[in-house]
């Protein structure tokens, strides 16, 4: 027998909001999408800013774990364009300066060193500056931003967008130590910092040690280093024929940048089958739209050169064999030669800590990675914290931000002698959306439209200008239309068994057949005997207490459209549509929600 | 009423029937009745029954009179033929339609006012003539559209929402139907689809007049503490008259029935009804016993539901009148005007 679902547990309703649940920073997605539809772009932007600090950057570059999670994928096919709506909020917002947290002029006397000026460190600064901390950022490059600035080409992310969102935090009064590469952690520890946060990312591109690598090295470049050089304008051209080796997002950025720096014949080669490529589908799609061919199952064997002058790359064709769900790449013996002037290596990157002395109390594991607490982000030296790619290897910007928020909480606790394991609870709220008998304060008449494509700049123009943004973003009308596709999963179907008269009205009206009245049973049996069996085990079922007839109400959350028809057809108000607000706890407790609500 | 249209999205794993449709293909527009109305559950049951029988909607005609109940054909079978007729006159229109086209499945939806008051004469004669029609009376014992006056099926023991007594006794439409010679008579409750759907399927497959009296609580005017047609009252006072199962033709050969307790009733078109007796006096083929049981239960304050009476061998109106075996719209010129020789032969019969 199943017990009534404990909806008081904040995780129950949070999990129903698939996008927010999937977002590492738990951004309240449906809330800001509704604000976009109301043309309240500034508020929508600030809700984002509070959760993920870089809405303009992320609205263009996020890995968007929210989108594959979007309920719309299960209900039809294409998710709501959450990421690009975020950009629409950033593009259309007005001045936000009055909405930013106040920075106390009287400091609290605690000094924090942030090593590496990327999204993780900047998030820590964003959370600690309003509390009166004195934060110092050490950055080896002349400007802060980390990989957002160095590794993402400007045709995907204009420099102005990075400057705006990075400077906003630096302008809180962060002490800037730029062009200053930290060569020794000991030297930092010896200074009077109360805590040190290491957010140095994963700056080391992997090399490919095959014959010819050394001899032809002047035309073989490590992708992320090359992109950095392009970003800081140290490199402005490349050979006509370019081979990019690798199948991740860096490879896609390398090949598209090559096209804009004079490459005419640019190829991407991947060792694995195309379906297994690491790059996001949309990045692959953009590269292919620009006419770049992708050769999969190509394993590089040799850099062919004549007296040190690169001639091309020799590949061996591979074949993928699958056994027990595991993939094996088998060489076929067939070789292929691609002529080229330059090679870009984009076969992965890793974090590296040659600058951390091994005798200062920071333990490293067998893979030469620091031991970092998964919850507190604290290293074995209590004063030192890690976050972003530096903590556990390459992830992405949104994870770096999530780490930064958590690390800031830990640093704040650490500096105030509070228990680091004692994490603050999220702020949650549940409020009825009923406005009249059949009126709700959210748009429940959902759009049947397919996902709207983001308009692109003319290819002829954008391919000749490294700084011309390829995606133009949604205009206001498209943003509105796309926003209407959101199913408002944060508007929860809340059931009160004491009011139910078991008239079946909700069962009859539900367009997706997720409501059932049946005899209680084990979860396994209940799932099977619903009108449409609840076979997606990753989604919960909502089970009520016993009703008058001895049955229980069972609702499968999987496909629910949150259209509110159950509540509209309920004669007694046993069903109600209530907005579930979930705000992740941060070190800085000021909240834009007070302003929006 | 609900302002928005029901979303077109449906569960991707929704099953389909033999003709490749989901139950949602049998829906109509969103109901405009009060939220929680029993009639909406009956609508859902009709949708389920037609879906499960894999009936093509264009071979169904839905007819109704006037009243809350008579609005409901708009809420199911969007692609069926429909006629919303004059108050109490649904049986006349159904008779005309049925005589013209005997190949359609006829669903007549009426209410207690439409049937037991203004349309009582029409109701009686449709039964008397054995019109091949499934007559559904959505019975809530009240005039909902005119703000809750007692209807002719409201029990004497019942009071209205304000606590006033009902001065008159009730007409029992099911007893009346059996006495008038209906071939298929049942009573059910809108809140019990497990019982109602097999009854509807059997009735739709029955050749002749089938009547289902469905107690359907009016949430707005007749679902209070003194009502005898409220959700709670019916659930507490229901007496089941057997359990019915509808068995489609292709499954009849392989179905074995328990001896003694179960009666198998063969319908004209090859389908079976299996009737599981829940008491010694439950014999749906003996009208005298049935009427006795109904009257006894009634005086005990019980509402008898289930398949009450069935006579699978009754002939319908077309048999009685020896009408054309084909729908009139399919008769060709040659059928209608068979020529001089034929006329001569007919004339000779009278010479």
């Amino acid at each position: 027998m199943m017990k009534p679902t404990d909806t008081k547990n904040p995780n129950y309703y949070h999990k129903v909001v698939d996008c927010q649940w999937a977002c590492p920073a738990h951004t309240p997605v449906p809330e800001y999408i509704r604000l976009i539809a109301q043309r309240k772009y500034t508020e929508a932007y600030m809700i984002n800013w509070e959760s993920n600090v870089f809405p303009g950057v992320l609205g263009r570059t996020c890995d968007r774990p929210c989108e594959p999670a979007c309920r719309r994928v299960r209900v039809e096919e294409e998710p709501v364009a959450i990421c690009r709506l975020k950009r629409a909020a950033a593009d259309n917002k007005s001045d936000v300066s009055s909405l930013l947290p106040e920075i106390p002029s009287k400091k609290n006397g605690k000094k924090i060193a942030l090593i590496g000026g990327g999204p993780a460190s900047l998030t820590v600064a964003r959370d600690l500056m309003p509390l009166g901390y004195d934060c110092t950022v050490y950055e080896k490059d002349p400007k802060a931003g980390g990989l957002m600035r160095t590794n993402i080409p400007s045709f995907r992310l204009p420099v102005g967008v990075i400057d705006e969102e990075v400077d906003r935090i630096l302008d809180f009064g962060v002490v800037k130590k730029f062009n200053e590469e930290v060569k020794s952690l000991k030297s930092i520890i010896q200074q009077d910092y109360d805590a040190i946060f290491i957010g140095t990312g994963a700056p080391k591109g992997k090399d490919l040690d095959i014959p010819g690598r050394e001899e032809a090295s002047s035309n073989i470049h490590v992708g992320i280093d090359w992109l950095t050089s392009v970003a800081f304008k140290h490199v402005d051209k490349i050979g006509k024929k370019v081979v990019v080796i690798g199948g991740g997002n860096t490879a896609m950025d390398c090949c598209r940048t090559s096209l804009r720096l004079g490459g005419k014949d640019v190829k991407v080669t991947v060792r694995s089958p195309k379906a297994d490529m690491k790059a996001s589908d949309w990045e692959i799609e953009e590269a292919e739209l620009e006419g770049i061919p992708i050769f999969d199952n190509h394993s590089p064997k040799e850099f062919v050169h004549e007296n040190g002058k690169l001639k091309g790359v020799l590949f061996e064709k591979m074949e993928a064999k699958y056994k027990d769900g595991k993939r094996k790449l088998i060489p076929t013996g067939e070789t292929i030669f691609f002529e080229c002037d330059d090679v870009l290596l984009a076969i992965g990157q890793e974090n590296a800590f040659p600058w951390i002395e091994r005798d200062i109390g920071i333990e490293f594991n067998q893979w030469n990675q620091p031991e970092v607490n998964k919850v507190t982000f604290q290293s074995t030296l209590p004063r030192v914290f890690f976050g972003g790619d530096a903590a556990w290897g390459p992830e992405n910007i949104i994870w770096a931000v999530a780490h930064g928020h958590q690390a800031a909480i830990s640093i704040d606790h650490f500096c105030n002698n509070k228990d680091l394991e004692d994490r603050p609870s999220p702020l949650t709220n549940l409020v009825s959306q009923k406005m009249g008998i059949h009126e709700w304060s959210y748009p429940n008449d959902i759009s049947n439209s397919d996902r709207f494509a983001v308009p692109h700049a003319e290819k002829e123009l954008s391919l000749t200008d490294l700084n011309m943004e390829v995606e133009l973003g949604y205009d206001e009308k498209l943003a509105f239309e796309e926003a209407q596709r959101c199913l408002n999963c944060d508007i929860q179907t809340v059931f009160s068994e004491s009011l139910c008269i078991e008239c079946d009205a909700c069962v009859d009206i539900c367009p997706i057949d997720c409501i059932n009245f049946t005899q209680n049973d084990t979860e396994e049996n209940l799932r099977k005997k619903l009108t449409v069996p609840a076979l997606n085990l990753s989604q919960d079922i909502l089970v009520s207490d016993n009703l008058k007839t001895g049955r229980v109400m069972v609702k499968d959350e999987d496909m629910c459209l949150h259209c509110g028809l159950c509540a509209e057809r309920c004669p007694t108000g046993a069903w109600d549509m209530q907005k579930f607000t979930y705000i992740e706890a941060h070190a800085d407790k000021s909240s834009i929600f007070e302003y929006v609500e | 009423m609900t302002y928005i249209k029901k979303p077109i999205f449906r569960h991707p794993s929704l099953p389909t029937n033999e003709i490749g449709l989901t139950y949602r293909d049998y829906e109509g527009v969103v109901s405009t009745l009060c939220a929680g109305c029993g009639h909406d559950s009956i609508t859902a049951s009709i949708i389920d029954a037609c879906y499960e029988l894999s009936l093509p909607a264009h071979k169904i005609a839905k007819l109704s009179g006037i009243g809350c109940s008579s609005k409901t054909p708009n809420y199911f079978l969007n692609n069926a033929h429909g006629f919303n007729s004059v108050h109490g006159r649904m049986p006349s229109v159904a008779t005309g339609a049925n005589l013209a086209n005997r190949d359609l499945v006829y669903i007549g939806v009426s209410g207690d006012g439409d049937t037991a008051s203004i349309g009582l004469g029409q109701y009686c004669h449709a039964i008397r003539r054995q019109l091949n029609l499934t007559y559904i009376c959505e019975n809530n014992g009240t005039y909902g559209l005119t703000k809750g006056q007692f209807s002719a099926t409201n029990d004497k023991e019942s009071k209205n929402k304000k606590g006033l007594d009902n001065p008159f006794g009730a007409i029992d439409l099911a007893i009346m139907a059996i006495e008038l010679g209906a071939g298929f008579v049942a009573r059910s409750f809108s809140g019990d689809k497990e019982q109602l759907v097999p009854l509807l399927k059997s009735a739709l497959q029955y050749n002749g007049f089938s009547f289902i009296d469905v107690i359907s609580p009016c949430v707005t005017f007749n679902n209070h503490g003194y009502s005898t047609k409220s959700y709670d009252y019916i659930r507490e006072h229901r007496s089941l008259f057997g359990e019915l199962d509808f068995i489609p033709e292709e499954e009849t050969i392989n179905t074995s029935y328990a001896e003694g307790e179960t009666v198998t009733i063969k319908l004209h078109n090859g389908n079976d009804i299996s009737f599981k007796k829940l008491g010694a006096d439950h014999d749906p083929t003996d009208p005298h016993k049935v009427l006795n049981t109904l009257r006894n239960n009634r005086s005990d304050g019980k509402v008898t539901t289930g398949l009450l009476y069935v006579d699978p061998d009754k002939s319908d109106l077309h048999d009685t009148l020896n009408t054309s075996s084909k729908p009139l719209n399919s008769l060709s010129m040659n059928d209608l005007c068979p020529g001089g020789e034929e006329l001569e032969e007919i004339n000779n019969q009278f010479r």
Side-chain angles (χ1 to χ4, degrees):
Chain A
M1 293 286 165
M2 277 195 83
K3 289 205 178 102
T5 306
D6 176 20
T7 54
K8 293 249 176 357
N9 180 342
N11 280 346
Y12 183 78
Y13 285 135
H14 186 193
K15 201 174 160 195
V16 174
V17 196
D18 296 286
C19 44
Q20 188 176 9
W21 179 257
C23 176
H26 301 311
T27 308
V29 176
E31 178 70 19
Y32 82 70
I33 289 184
R34 280 190 297 273
L35 288 168
I36 289 172
Q38 295 166 34
R39 304 181 76 212
K40 292 184 176 171
Y41 304 112
T42 309
E43 288 86 342
Y45 179 85
M46 287 308 291
I47 280 180
N48 267 290
W49 185 78
E50 201 167 273
S51 300
N52 54 52
V53 192
F54 305 101
V57 171
L58 288 164
R60 292 163 166 89
T61 62
C62 189
D63 242 26
R64 17 173 151 157
C66 51
E67 291 194 16
C70 175
R71 184 175 299 263
R72 197 99 187 178
V73 175
R74 305 197 294 274
V75 172
E76 48 145 348
E77 206 179 337
E78 287 287 331
V80 174
I82 299 169
C83 181
R84 293 319 188 240
L85 283 171
K86 190 193 307 289
R87 175 181 167 177
D91 286 355
N92 292 297
K93 68 175 187 306
S94 41
D95 181 29
V96 299
S97 51
S98 64
L99 301 171
L100 297 176
E102 253 179 72
I103 308 300
S105 50
K106 191 171 178 310
K107 298 288 166 192
N108 69 0
K110 306 282 184 189
K111 287 182 71 182
I112 314 295
L114 305 161
I115 305 181
S121 291
L122 291 170
T123 302
V124 176
R126 177 256 171 269
D127 282 356
L128 293 184
M129 290 302 292
L131 301 181
Y133 285 87
D134 191 337
C135 296
T136 304
V137 172
Y138 290 86
E139 168 59 54
K140 69 173 159 54
D141 287 325
K143 283 177 145 190
L147 75 97
M148 302 190 286
R149 189 182 298 281
T150 60
N151 283 8
I152 300 174
S154 46
F155 57 84
R156 281 217 288 135
L157 176 59
V159 176
V161 177
I162 309 174
D163 285 344
E164 180 194 326
E165 293 186 335
V166 169
D167 289 349
R168 183 175 299 138
I169 297 164
L170 297 177
D171 291 348
F172 285 171
V174 175
V175 180
K176 297 182 264 190
K177 301 224 170 178
F178 294 172
N179 277 322
E180 213 169 302
E181 186 169 1
V182 176
K183 296 247 167 63
S184 154
L185 183 58
K186 207 183 239 172
S187 68
I188 302 287
I189 289 176
Q190 280 161 358
Q191 298 175 42
D192 59 345
Y193 291 115
D194 294 279
I196 297 158
F197 177 80
I198 296 173
T200 46
K204 192 173 155 232
K206 285 188 186 159
D207 209 332
L208 185 61
D209 190 19
I210 54 172
R213 172 69 182 95
E214 247 172 69
E215 294 86 335
S217 63
S218 56
N219 290 94
I220 300 169
H221 319 279
V222 172
I224 53 170
D225 297 342
W226 181 77
L227 286 172
T228 306
S229 304
V230 174
F232 287 110
K233 302 190 169 60
H234 303 315
V235 166
D236 59 4
K237 57 177 182 292
I238 196 160
K240 284 213 159 43
K241 292 181 178 173
V242 181
V243 168
V244 178
I245 299 177
N249 284 340
T250 304
M252 298 304 115
D253 286 338
C254 283
C255 67
R256 294 175 69 195
T257 304
S258 300
L259 270 192
R260 288 161 172 80
L261 295 186
K264 294 288 171 223
D265 171 11
V266 181
K267 295 182 179 72
V268 172
T269 66
V270 203
R271 221 172 144 256
S272 60
K274 194 173 167 196
D276 297 347
M277 279 172 67
K278 287 221 175 77
S280 311
D281 291 342
W282 52 91
E283 300 296 342
I284 298 174
E285 200 178 296
E286 295 286 342
E288 288 185 325
L289 274 177
E290 295 184 353
I292 297 166
I294 295 171
F295 295 90
D296 64 349
N297 296 317
H298 278 56
S299 175
K301 287 279 127 197
E302 187 188 343
F303 295 113
V304 181
H305 63 97
E306 257 172 40
N307 304 322
K309 173 89 184 92
L310 184 71
K311 288 286 154 194
V313 190
L314 189 69
F315 292 92
E316 180 169 16
K317 279 274 282 190
M318 308 298 275
E319 194 187 347
K321 291 242 163 94
Y322 296 87
K323 203 184 165 194
D324 305 328
K326 278 189 183 163
R327 191 197 71 191
K328 252 192 154 174
L329 291 177
I330 317 274
T332 62
E334 182 192 344
T335 56
I336 291 149
F337 178 71
F338 285 145
E339 216 179 285
C340 68
D341 305 313
D342 282 288
V343 168
L344 294 169
L345 294 175
I347 53 175
Q349 59 195 86
E350 51 202 6
N351 51 12
F353 306 100
W355 54 280
I356 298 183
E357 292 82 354
R358 297 303 194 257
D359 60 352
I360 53 174
I362 297 179
E363 273 178 40
F364 282 74
N365 62 22
Q366 50 181 318
W367 300 283
N368 217 7
Q369 296 289 308
E371 288 288 352
V372 181
N373 183 305
K374 286 266 180 196
V375 176
T376 63
F377 296 79
Q378 193 177 33
S379 75
T380 50
L381 183 61
R383 256 200 299 162
V384 177
F385 298 81
F386 283 77
D389 291 359
W392 299 288
E395 281 279 3
N396 48 45
I397 306 171
I398 189 69
W399 271 111
V401 171
H403 289 180
H405 282 312
Q406 292 304 319
I409 291 171
S410 295
I411 292 170
D412 186 38
H413 283 201
F414 178 77
C415 291
N416 289 293
N417 295 318
K418 282 199 254 172
D419 183 5
L420 268 62
E421 298 282 347
D422 181 19
R423 311 303 289 180
S425 313
L427 189 141
T428 60
N429 203 5
L430 199 59
V431 178
S432 176
Q433 299 299 293
K434 204 172 176 71
M435 302 275 283
I437 293 179
H438 302 291
E439 281 167 303
W440 305 97
S441 59
Y442 75 103
N444 64 331
D445 193 4
I446 48 164
S447 160
N448 298 326
S449 300
D450 290 339
R451 183 179 166 118
F452 291 87
V454 178
H456 278 49
E458 265 184 71
K459 206 164 100 177
E460 290 71 27
L461 296 174
S462 66
L463 279 183
T464 55
D465 183 354
L466 184 66
N467 295 319
M468 179 168 194
E469 197 171 9
V470 173
E471 283 195 12
L472 302 176
Y474 286 135
D475 58 23
E476 286 195 82
K477 187 172 173 296
L478 277 175
F480 174 78
E481 296 279 359
E482 184 62 29
Q484 296 307 102
R485 294 182 69 239
C486 175
L487 297 176
N488 303 290
C489 301
D490 61 337
I491 313 292
Q492 306 288 347
T493 53
V494 177
F495 184 71
S496 314
E497 33 285 84
S498 61
L499 296 174
C500 179
I501 58 167
E502 298 176 68
C503 67
D504 277 0
C506 51
V507 178
D508 297 336
I509 196 70
C510 177
I512 218 94
D513 294 282
C514 59
I515 302 172
N516 298 263
F517 288 83
T518 183
Q519 296 300 325
N520 203 346
D521 210 327
T522 60
E523 171 158 7
E524 195 189 350
N525 289 343
L526 267 186
R527 279 178 174 271
K528 272 188 228 150
K529 73 178 179 189
L530 302 187
T531 314
V532 183
L535 302 179
N536 181 359
L537 299 182
S538 68
Q539 294 285 323
D540 290 337
I541 54 175
L542 174 69
V543 181
S544 79
D545 209 339
N546 281 342
L547 297 164
K548 245 187 202 169
T549 59
R551 300 180 297 173
V552 287
M553 190 290 303
V554 183
K555 184 201 161 208
D556 180 10
E557 298 284 7
D558 187 18
M559 296 285 174
C560 173
L561 301 175
H562 297 256
C563 62
L565 285 178
C566 49
E568 288 200 17
R569 298 304 298 167
C570 182
T572 62
W575 284 108
D576 191 23
M577 303 308 290
Q578 301 188 2
K579 182 162 88 177
F580 176 69
T581 305
Y582 178 100
I583 304 169
E584 187 81 333
H586 293 158
D588 167 30
K589 290 177 185 63
S590 63
S591 175
I592 179 69
F593 269 88
E594 291 163 25
Y595 174 80
V596 173
E597 297 272 329
Chain B
M1 58 173 270
T2 298
Y3 301 141
I4 67 167
K5 276 191 187 144
K6 190 165 171 173
I8 57 165
F9 294 121
R10 55 182 66 167
H11 200 293
S13 325
L14 208 56
T16 53
N17 63 11
E18 279 167 31
I19 54 173
L21 302 176
T22 70
Y23 86 86
R24 291 210 51 195
D25 297 311
Y26 289 84
E27 287 181 340
V29 302
V30 172
S31 169
T32 56
L33 298 174
C34 308
C37 180
H39 295 2
D40 287 333
S41 295
I42 303 173
T43 295
S45 297
I46 294 172
I47 289 169
D48 281 352
C50 293
Y51 157 77
E52 287 176 20
L53 289 172
S54 296
L55 295 177
H58 68 282
K59 300 295 270 181
I60 300 174
K62 45 179 189 178
L63 304 104
S64 63
I66 294 294
C68 294
S69 60
S70 295
K71 291 169 73 178
T72 64
N74 197 23
Y75 314 142
F76 59 82
L77 295 170
N78 244 0
N79 295 314
H81 306 277
F83 200 114
N84 187 202
S85 75
V86 186
H87 205 356
R89 269 59 186 164
M90 179 271 285
S92 303
V93 179
T95 307
N98 189 300
L99 284 174
N101 188 345
R102 61 187 298 168
D103 279 1
L104 300 183
V105 172
Y106 289 89
I107 303 174
V109 179
S110 182
D112 37 319
D114 201 54
T115 301
S117 294
I118 193 167
L120 194 61
Q122 298 245 329
Y123 171 70
C124 295
H125 288 283
I127 299 173
R128 188 175 146 260
R129 291 173 184 147
Q130 306 299 332
L131 183 64
N132 187 7
L133 164 77
T134 298
Y135 192 118
I136 300 161
C137 179
E138 305 189 346
N139 185 353
N140 57 17
T142 191
Y143 294 145
L145 278 187
T146 53
K147 304 269 190 286
Q149 299 82 355
F150 297 117
S151 85
T153 62
N154 199 56
D155 297 307
K156 196 156 193 301
E157 308 78 51
S158 171
K159 296 182 180 193
N160 77 358
K161 200 177 180 180
K162 289 187 174 160
L164 296 180
D165 288 328
N166 177 14
F168 306 114
I171 291 176
D172 188 319
L173 291 168
I175 288 178
M176 213 171 158
I178 297 171
E179 282 181 338
L180 287 166
F184 183 111
V185 180
R187 182 178 286 132
S188 190
F189 168 47
S190 67
D192 184 0
K193 289 203 186 77
E194 276 172 37
Q195 183 189 55
L196 182 54
V197 173
L199 278 175
L200 279 165
K201 284 160 75 178
S202 306
L204 288 169
Q205 294 291 294
Y206 179 80
N207 186 51
F209 190 88
S210 52
F211 176 72
I212 309 181
D213 180 26
V214 191
I215 314 289
S216 171
C218 171
V219 279
T220 304
F221 295 108
N222 208 4
N223 194 38
H224 46 79
Y226 329 104
S227 166
T228 55
K229 288 196 167 39
S230 67
Y231 282 106
D232 287 348
Y233 185 92
I234 299 296
R235 284 193 176 114
E236 279 159 25
H237 294 81
R238 209 139 69 101
S239 161
L240 293 186
F241 190 79
E243 267 176 20
L244 179 78
D245 198 9
F246 175 81
I247 300 141
E249 192 177 7
E250 58 277 13
E251 287 172 29
T252 53
I253 305 152
N254 299 324
T255 314
S256 57
Y257 307 106
E259 284 292 316
E261 290 295 288
T262 304
V263 189
T264 305
I265 299 149
K266 210 155 207 61
L267 297 182
H268 269 207
N269 54 10
N271 300 317
D272 281 1
I273 302 171
S274 111
F275 182 88
K276 189 176 162 206
K277 296 177 178 179
L278 292 179
D281 52 354
H282 290 189
D283 180 359
T285 56
D286 183 336
H288 305 291
K289 280 191 186 166
V290 173
L291 287 171
N292 259 340
T293 310
L294 289 178
R295 288 183 184 123
N296 289 341
N297 280 352
R298 218 195 123 109
S299 48
D300 291 348
K302 288 188 214 155
V303 182
T304 317
T305 64
L307 173 62
L308 306 176
Y309 173 70
V310 64
D311 177 356
D313 300 322
K314 273 243 153 85
S315 54
D316 87 327
L317 180 59
H318 284 282
D319 299 333
T320 309
L321 296 181
N322 194 22
T323 57
S324 161
S325 60
K326 290 198 287 185
L328 302 187
N329 61 9
S330 67
L331 295 178
S332 67
M333 192 55 146
N334 283 343
D335 293 329
L336 294 171
C337 186
E341 276 178 34
E342 196 81 11
L343 179 65
E344 194 58 28
E345 220 169 276
I346 292 169
N347 282 340
N348 281 338
Q349 290 174 8
F350 299 104
R351 287 200 171 104

